[in-house]
Amino acid sequence: MQTKSTARGGTRGPYAKTAARQREILEAAVAVFGSKGYSAGSIQDVADRAGIAQTTLLHHFPTKAQLLVAVLEYRDEISPDTPGTREHFTEVVVQQAKNNEGVPHLIELYSVLCGEATTEDHPAREYFVKRFERLRGEYSNELRYLASIGRLRPGIDPGIAGPTIVALWDGIQTQWLLNPEDVDVPQTLKAYLDLIIISPETGSAQQPMADSSGS
């Protein structure tokens, strides 16, 4: 009796072929939706890009909306939102920005779909609403932790600075897509984070100032 997978070889047979076909479709959809947008890019465009019949595509993804959801999940799998790790927040953000430069097609897809999703009936609207809500909360919480250990500069409100990081990242990333030679996303993000976060070498913002009166 044949098994679906082996410990070393992974998935085999029809399951492997199905997974490979779906990946081809998703890559094609990334290219089509990234260049034309979801509204203008058609199922036929994706099928043509993948080199398959439209009926074959619809066998894997019965509707265009289901294909879009799968594309967004695929994007998150390839380019996940990883910033966090407490004391190393700045380093992780900068490294993720550098990693994103290696998948410009996914960044283009994200930017195009994010812009389109502002319309009420767009199938990706809920995805982006939840994503931004999550990121605002996560980044603000990371900054609150840094404030608790004296690593956030005085006067910085984590509830405002967290969403600012999200907005800056998306905005400068769009500028990078338009003019990659003149825009440095990692350095821009680091410059802002250095303004609000105190490096470990500098010392704690919560340390009391020395009394200069001499008394």
Side-chain angles (χ1 to χ4, degrees):
M1 177 177 174
Q2 292 182 339
T3 59
K4 298 176 184 177
S5 63
T6 65
R8 293 185 179 181
T11 304
R12 292 182 177 178
Y15 297 94
K17 292 180 180 179
T18 296
R21 175 66 74 191
Q22 290 178 346
R23 187 179 183 89
E24 290 173 358
I25 294 171
L26 292 175
E27 285 286 355
V30 167
V32 170
F33 294 157
S35 60
K36 294 186 176 183
Y38 173 79
S39 300
S42 68
I43 287 288
Q44 188 61 60
D45 289 333
V46 177
D48 291 344
R49 178 88 181 191
I52 60 176
Q54 185 175 143
T55 53
T56 301
L57 187 154
L58 293 173
H59 171 73
H60 294 279
F61 304 100
T63 68
K64 188 180 179 184
Q66 286 177 317
L67 175 60
L68 177 62
V69 171
V71 165
L72 291 171
E73 291 174 346
Y74 175 66
R75 178 264 173 196
D76 288 343
E77 177 186 342
I78 301 300
S79 181
D81 300 312
T82 58
T85 66
R86 300 290 165 159
E87 291 90 345
H88 304 289
F89 180 72
T90 295
E91 294 91 329
V92 174
V93 167
V94 172
Q95 185 58 53
Q96 181 61 51
K98 291 179 179 178
N99 293 343
N100 286 350
E101 294 178 341
V103 285
H105 61 300
L106 293 180
I107 304 305
E108 181 180 10
L109 169 78
Y110 169 85
S111 297
V112 170
L113 293 180
C114 184
E116 287 189 340
T118 56
T119 57
E120 290 187 8
D121 58 346
H122 197 282
R125 182 182 178 91
E126 184 178 3
Y127 167 86
F128 283 103
V129 167
K130 290 183 176 179
R131 178 181 183 278
F132 284 126
E133 181 179 358
R134 173 176 57 81
L135 290 179
R136 289 194 301 268
E138 289 179 356
Y139 290 7
S140 294
N141 286 336
E142 291 296 329
L143 296 180
R144 290 188 183 97
Y145 171 76
L146 291 172
S148 73
I149 61 172
R151 292 277 310 283
L152 198 65
R153 296 191 186 280
I156 300 298
D157 183 345
I160 295 177
T164 299
I165 296 170
V166 179
L168 173 61
W169 198 336
D170 274 22
I172 199 65
Q173 199 163 243
T174 298
Q175 294 181 47
W176 172 75
L177 286 172
L178 294 170
N179 192 2
E181 294 183 358
D182 292 339
V183 178
D184 191 325
V185 178
Q187 280 301 109
T188 301
L189 289 170
K190 185 178 186 306
Y192 175 71
L193 293 174
D194 285 346
L195 290 175
I196 65 172
I197 297 174
I198 299 171
S199 68
E201 294 78 12
T202 302
S204 171
Q206 295 179 348
Q207 291 178 347
M209 295 181 64
D211 186 354
S212 60
S213 64
S215 58

